[in-house]
Amino acid sequence: MPLIEYDEPERFIAGTVGEPGQRTFFLQAVQGPRITTVSLEKEQVAVLAERLNDLLDEIGQSDEQVLPPDNDPLSTPIEDEFRVSTLSLAWVAEVQRVVIECHDRDVQLEDSGDEVVELTEPDATVLRIVLSPIAAREFARRGLATVASGRPPCPFCGAPLEASGHICPRANGYRR
């Protein structure tokens, strides 16, 4: 199994390329000259950021300690290693770190009684990121901001508004 691992990278960010409505979402880890970029869905970025915040709240990591915001664009070249199929998130209490794994295939979980074991295909590729709670909180902040920076929602139905408007089902098909 090819494993791409970053232990507390200099940067781990969510970013996009393209105009709202046509954006491609990426996760990018940077450590020195080494850059790894993977592509994924907007919803995956949103869920990962929300679950990170939930996890950090649950373990008691407050918002008081923060890193300076990283609002810089993705590092170039932007070439994705793979498209993320499955994301996993874990807290390692012994070292007080968050572990995020991005898998290029669906992951099978097997319950062996006392623990849940992750079964990964031998040729699957995994990007593993280990973050401090403070770095994880900053990733979540930027991830949620990236997702929210797209097209504004329709005030009636919540669907994304195009620049030309859209046919709103809550307005009986009239263009909004």
Side-chain angles (χ1 to χ4, degrees):
M1 165 178 75
L3 175 64
I4 306 166
E5 193 164 15
Y6 285 83
D7 191 358
E8 299 197 39
E10 294 167 12
R11 291 182 83 198
F12 180 58
I13 59 169
T16 62
V17 172
E19 295 297 317
Q22 302 298 317
R23 299 185 296 171
T24 301
F25 284 77
F26 296 98
L27 297 180
Q28 188 175 76
V30 178
Q31 185 69 47
R34 187 172 158 221
I35 300 171
T36 302
T37 306
V38 295
S39 58
L40 71 170
E41 296 294 325
K42 174 182 178 178
E43 291 78 17
Q44 289 175 299
V45 174
V47 168
L48 178 58
E50 290 166 1
R51 296 297 177 261
L52 267 171
N53 278 332
D54 292 346
L55 173 68
L56 295 170
D57 290 344
E58 186 176 312
I59 63 168
Q61 199 279 328
S62 69
D63 290 342
E64 294 172 11
Q65 296 177 327
V66 294
L67 292 174
D70 181 353
N71 294 318
D72 292 338
L74 294 165
S75 299
T76 55
I78 303 170
E79 298 173 2
D80 60 340
E81 298 286 328
F82 60 88
R83 184 134 186 103
V84 175
S85 175
T86 305
L87 290 164
S88 61
L89 177 63
W91 171 251
V92 182
E94 297 82 34
V95 292
Q96 299 286 297
R97 293 295 180 259
V98 173
V99 178
I100 299 168
E101 288 185 350
C102 305
H103 302 261
D104 71 343
R105 312 228 170 116
D106 288 337
V107 175
Q108 302 283 329
L109 297 177
E110 182 177 277
D111 191 352
S112 63
D114 293 339
E115 64 180 346
V116 175
V117 178
E118 187 177 281
L119 303 175
T120 307
E121 294 179 31
D123 60 340
T125 303
V126 177
L127 170 62
R128 179 178 297 144
I129 309 293
V130 179
L131 298 172
S132 68
I134 297 168
R137 187 71 79 179
E138 172 54 22
F139 170 84
R141 182 210 59 81
R142 178 177 172 143
L144 291 173
T146 299
V147 168
S149 68
R151 298 171 289 173
C154 171
F156 297 107
C157 70
L161 286 175
E162 298 292 336
S164 61
H166 80 124
I167 298 175
C168 181
R170 303 245 356 241
N172 293 327
Y174 287 100
R175 187 170 291 277
R176 292 274 175 206

